[in-house]
Amino acid sequence: MSDLNSGLSPDSLAQIDREVAKYPAEQKRSAVMSALRIAQVEKGWLSADTIKLVADYLGIAPMAAHEVATFYNMYDRSPVGKYKLTVCTNLPCALSGGAEAGEYLQKKLGIHYNETTADGKFTLKEGECMGACGYAPVLLVNNHTMCNHMTPDAIDRKLAEFN
Amino acid sequence: MTVYVKGVVFDGVDFDDPNSWNIDAYIQRGGYAALKKIIAEGITQDTIIAELKTSSLRGRGGAGFPTGLKWSFMPRSFPGQKYLVCNTDEGEPGTFKDLDIIVNNPHALIEGMIIGGYAMGITVGYNYIHGEVFAAYERFEAALEEARRAGFLGDNILGSDFCFQLHGHHGYGAYICGEETALLESLEGKKGQPRFKPPFPASYGLYGKPTTINNTETFASVPYIIREGGQKFLELGKPNNGGTKLFSVSGHVNRPGNFEVPLGLPFSELLEMAGGMRGGKKIKAVIPGGSSAPVLPGHIMMETTMDYDAIAKAGSMLGSGAVIVMDETVCMVKALRRLSYFYFEESCGQCTPCREGTGWLYRVVDRIERGLGRPEDLDLLESVGKNIAGRTICALGDAAVMPVQGMLKHFRAEFLHHIEHKKCIVPGY
C-alpha cells in the first residue's frame, strides 16, 4: 500500500494545522519541519510519497520539502527499527562514557551503527551533540525521548523496558 | 544537575520540586513582576534599553555582543512587521545550559522575550529549539499556554495596548542552525544555510523583515535586570562583564552540570564546585567556551578567571560558557579527531573552503591518530586552516579551525610524537 493512498491521519493533519497557525498565512512553508516530524511519527519514516503528501498539504513544491527532509539528520528517509537509538559520541560525552555506551550497544544488539536488528526492533545511530553533555552518556530513543546517564547497567534496564 | 550561587536566570528555582517550572511557582518567586511594572508605570522603550546598557549584559550565545546595543539597533519606528527570535538551538559540544533554562524556568525566558518585544516595538516572536531536546520544546509550548491564559501573552497584555504573540519552533538535527541567519532560513522552512551579512537581521531578518535574535540565557536575564536594576546586575559580575553566567561543566569532573556564578569567578573555584577532577587525576586541558574555542592547558586555566575579557587574554573564548575538562589520560589527537569529525559532519556544504576543508582537517587528524601521519601533516593542517578561516559566509569554518590551531599551539609535541612513534603517549579519552 502506498503512502499516497493512505494519506495522513486526521490526528496528524490536526497537529499540522496547529503548527501552520503559528506563522503568517502566506508563510505556511515555515511549518514544514514540524509537518515532516508529525508525518514521520505516524508513518515510521519519510518515503518520497510521504514527503509529497506533506508538501501538497502545505502547498509547497515537493522538492522544497525534500530539501528539508534531506538536510536535517533526524528525518529518516529509509525504514528504521521500532526503536531508533541514537547515542552521542561527541567529545564531552566521550569523556564520560559516550563512546563506550555506543560500543556496548553494538555488542549487545549485535549490529553496527546505521544497522537494524534482524527482528526489525532496533536501529542504532551515532549522533552528534544533543545539547545534554552534563547528563552523559546520553541516548535518544525515537528522536524525542532523551535517556540520561546511560552506563552499561542503565542500558540493560532501558533495553529490558522495550521487551 | 544545576547549581546556582547567585541567581539571575535561576533566581529562586527549586530544582527538587517538579512543579517549580510552572507559572504559579514563577510568579511566587517574583516572576512577571518586571512586565507588570513596565505596563503599570508605562516605562518607556528607551528606559528599558538604557537599563540593559547599564547592566553590561552581553549576549550569552557565544559572541558576547552587548545586548542593550543590539536592541538599540532595531528600527523601532519601522512601519511593517518586525520579529523577535530566541536562539535555543543549543548544539555546540559542551553546551547544555539553555536546556536547563527551558526545562526549569521557561517563564523567565518568556517574560524576557515579552519585555524585548515591548522595548523594540515587536509584536511576534519565535523560539527556535534544538530538535534533540524535544521534551524541552514540549515544556516550552506548555509554558506558553500558561502565559497566554494568564494574560501575559497575546492581545492587549495586562489591559494595555501592547500585543505580543510568541511561538515555539523546533529544529530537527543541524548544528548550523545555531548560526543566526541559518536559523532564520530554517524558521522559514528551508535548509539551514547561512546568509551573507550584511544585510544584518536587524534590517533583513525573518521573512525579510527587521529581526532581533538573542540567546535563551540572554532573554532569561532580562526580567531580573528590569526588576532589580541594571546596576545591581552589573555588580554581580565585574566591569564590562556584568551579571552571572551559566557555565556548563562537562568531561572529567566529579559533578558535571550547570553552574550559575558571577562572571569573573576563578576557574579553580568553578572546578571545585563541579566536585574537582574525577578520580583525583591531574588536569591536562580545558576547552573553556564550547568545542569551537581553542583549548588551553590546565595550568593556564587554573590561573584564569571566568569572564569574557580574562579568557580572551588567556588565548581562547568564553563563548557559550561550555567548559570541557580533560584529565591527564586524554590523548589530544584523539580528542581533536572527534571534534574535527563533528565540523566535517555539520558543515552545511554551502562554501567550498568549509565543505572541503573540514573534510581535509578530519582526514589528516584521523590518519595521525591511526599512526599513518606524515612529517609534513602539521604544516598541512595549518595551511588548510588558513584557507578556511575568514573565507566562508558564516563562522562554522572558523569554528572548525580554532580547535586545530589551539591543539597545535599547546600540544604540538603530542602530535609530533604520534607521527613519529605511530601511537599515543596516553591511553585515550
Side-chain angles (χ1 to χ4, degrees):
Chain A
M1 188 173 68
S2 88
D3 286 308
L4 272 179
N5 291 332
S6 61
L8 290 169
S9 72
D11 180 52
S12 290
L13 294 178
Q15 285 185 55
I16 294 174
D17 289 344
R18 279 199 293 277
E19 297 296 330
V20 168
K22 293 177 177 177
Y23 310 98
E26 70 282 9
Q27 301 290 351
K28 282 171 85 174
R29 182 178 182 174
S30 280
V32 68
M33 293 186 67
S34 293
L36 288 170
R37 183 253 307 166
I38 292 161
Q40 177 167 290
V41 168
E42 183 188 325
K43 303 285 186 187
W45 63 289
L46 292 176
S47 65
D49 286 348
T50 302
I51 293 170
K52 187 171 184 309
L53 277 176
V54 168
D56 289 348
Y57 192 73
L58 296 176
I60 62 175
M63 182 50 76
H66 188 77
E67 276 189 359
V68 170
T70 54
F71 187 84
Y72 300 90
N73 66 28
M74 288 163 69
Y75 296 116
D76 297 310
R77 285 174 302 107
S78 53
V80 291
K82 188 176 176 198
Y83 300 103
K84 184 177 88 164
L85 310 178
T86 312
V87 58
C88 177
T89 60
N90 207 308
L91 181 62
C93 274
L95 295 171
S96 292
E100 283 89 346
E103 280 159 25
Y104 185 76
L105 275 163
Q106 293 184 56
K107 207 160 61 180
K108 184 100 183 170
L109 299 174
I111 51 174
H112 295 108
Y113 287 126
N114 301 317
E115 289 179 358
T116 300
T117 52
D119 61 1
K121 197 163 180 186
F122 294 104
T123 297
L124 187 61
K125 297 261 181 190
E126 188 173 20
E128 288 301 343
C129 186
M130 299 169 187
C133 325
Y135 307 103
V138 290
L139 187 67
L140 201 54
V141 180
N142 290 341
N143 297 321
H144 297 166
T145 308
M146 179 93 70
C147 307
N148 300 333
H149 305 300
M150 286 287 111
T151 56
D153 283 354
I155 288 171
D156 286 346
R157 285 195 297 275
K158 186 52 70 181
L159 292 180
E161 284 176 26
F162 298 141
N163 282 321
Chain B
M1 189 193 75
T2 306
V3 172
Y4 66 98
V5 175
K6 283 194 180 169
V8 169
V9 170
F10 288 125
D11 195 13
V13 173
D14 179 357
F15 291 94
D16 295 325
D17 175 2
N19 295 318
S20 189
W21 67 274
N22 71 28
I23 196 162
D24 294 338
Y26 181 66
I27 289 171
Q28 262 182 22
R29 55 180 179 260
Y32 289 110
L35 179 65
K36 286 178 192 161
K37 184 174 152 188
I38 288 169
I39 301 287
E41 297 175 17
I43 294 175
T44 66
Q45 297 174 324
D46 286 331
T47 307
I48 293 170
I49 290 173
E51 205 62 45
L52 280 182
K53 286 182 177 168
T54 302
S55 76
S56 190
L57 172 66
R58 293 169 64 166
R60 302 302 199 221
F65 193 82
T67 306
L69 193 58
K70 187 185 254 190
W71 286 20
S72 72
F73 291 157
M74 193 59 158
R76 271 178 277 159
S77 54
F78 182 83
Q81 185 67 57
K82 294 176 285 184
Y83 292 101
L84 187 65
V85 174
C86 177
N87 183 348
T88 312
D89 191 29
E90 180 178 54
E92 168 97 353
T95 316
F96 49 96
K97 65 190 179 64
D98 299 337
L99 167 65
D100 270 5
I101 294 173
I102 292 212
V103 170
N104 296 299
N105 206 16
H107 286 286
L109 165 61
I110 293 169
E111 188 182 3
M113 288 193 76
I114 299 169
I115 294 170
Y118 178 92
M120 289 177 278
I122 301 173
T123 57
V124 180
Y126 294 98
N127 182 18
Y128 189 108
I129 300 170
H130 198 49
E132 284 85 342
V133 291
F134 200 77
Y137 168 74
E138 292 176 317
R139 169 64 55 87
F140 184 72
E141 292 275 273
L144 282 181
E145 207 43 55
E146 287 186 324
R148 287 184 192 117
R149 278 201 303 270
F152 296 124
L153 264 181
D155 292 334
N156 303 107
I157 291 171
L158 299 173
S160 70
D161 294 339
F162 171 51
C163 306
F164 186 70
Q165 315 290 337
L166 182 57
H167 304 285
H169 179 110
H170 66 75
Y172 226 55
Y175 166 68
I176 189 62
C177 291
E179 198 279 341
E180 61 180 12
T181 60
L183 184 150
L184 293 176
E185 289 286 302
S186 185
L187 198 44
E188 292 182 1
K190 302 169 188 164
K191 290 185 287 185
Q193 291 190 319
R195 301 172 179 172
F196 277 112
K197 288 192 280 192
F200 290 94
S203 55
Y204 190 91
L206 181 63
Y207 310 129
K209 305 294 184 192
T211 301
T212 295
I213 308 168
N214 282 119
N215 170 259
T216 317
E217 186 184 353
T218 312
F219 279 123
S221 302
V222 170
Y224 179 96
I225 292 168
I226 301 303
R227 202 171 66 232
E228 308 287 337
Q231 188 61 32
K232 187 170 169 188
F233 180 86
L234 173 64
E235 285 165 7
L236 288 173
K238 58 192 255 192
N240 200 35
N241 295 267
T244 57
K245 171 88 191 81
L246 274 166
F247 290 105
S248 303
V249 183
S250 65
H252 288 146
V253 295
N254 281 313
R255 282 188 301 162
N258 284 310
F259 300 87
E260 186 175 2
V261 298
L263 274 169
L265 184 84
F267 169 75
S268 56
E269 286 182 36
L270 181 64
L271 182 60
E272 212 171 289
M273 289 171 69
M277 296 300 293
R278 199 191 301 158
K281 291 204 170 68
K282 207 175 139 199
I283 188 168
K284 178 172 183 175
V286 177
I287 301 176
S291 63
S292 307
V295 67
L296 291 173
H299 68 270
I300 291 180
M301 282 304 294
M302 292 304 275
E303 289 161 12
T304 303
T305 58
M306 299 303 292
D307 56 84
Y308 296 96
D309 298 338
I311 296 287
K313 205 173 149 201
S316 188
M317 308 185 305
L318 192 73
S320 55
V323 181
I324 307 169
V325 179
M326 292 176 271
D327 73 21
E328 56 195 328
T329 67
V330 176
C331 166
M332 300 315 262
V333 182
K334 197 171 176 183
L336 181 60
R337 179 179 68 165
R338 187 61 188 86
L339 291 180
S340 291
Y341 180 79
F342 170 73
Y343 292 103
F344 170 48
E345 168 73 25
E346 297 293 341
S347 171
C348 82
Q350 187 173 210
C351 309
T352 307
C354 173
R355 181 184 66 242
E356 304 301 322
T358 51
W360 274 80
L361 291 177
Y362 167 65
R363 285 189 297 273
V364 173
V365 177
D366 178 59
R367 78 180 178 214
I368 298 173
E369 165 63 14
R370 288 191 291 121
L372 302 168
R374 303 164 194 172
E376 66 272 21
D377 274 354
L378 300 190
D379 289 342
L380 180 60
L381 284 174
E382 272 161 7
S383 156
V384 172
K386 276 187 197 140
N387 281 294
I388 300 173
R391 294 168 192 262
T392 54
I393 290 175
C394 85
L396 191 139
D398 295 25
V401 172
M402 281 188 285
V404 176
Q405 287 174 336
M407 285 288 189
L408 292 184
K409 181 176 173 193
H410 293 292
F411 298 98
R412 195 176 190 90
E414 205 165 311
F415 283 77
L416 287 170
H417 184 276
H418 251 270
I419 291 170
E420 206 174 315
H421 301 278
K422 319 284 184 207
K423 61 179 184 187
C424 306
I425 296 177
V426 285
Y429 282 131

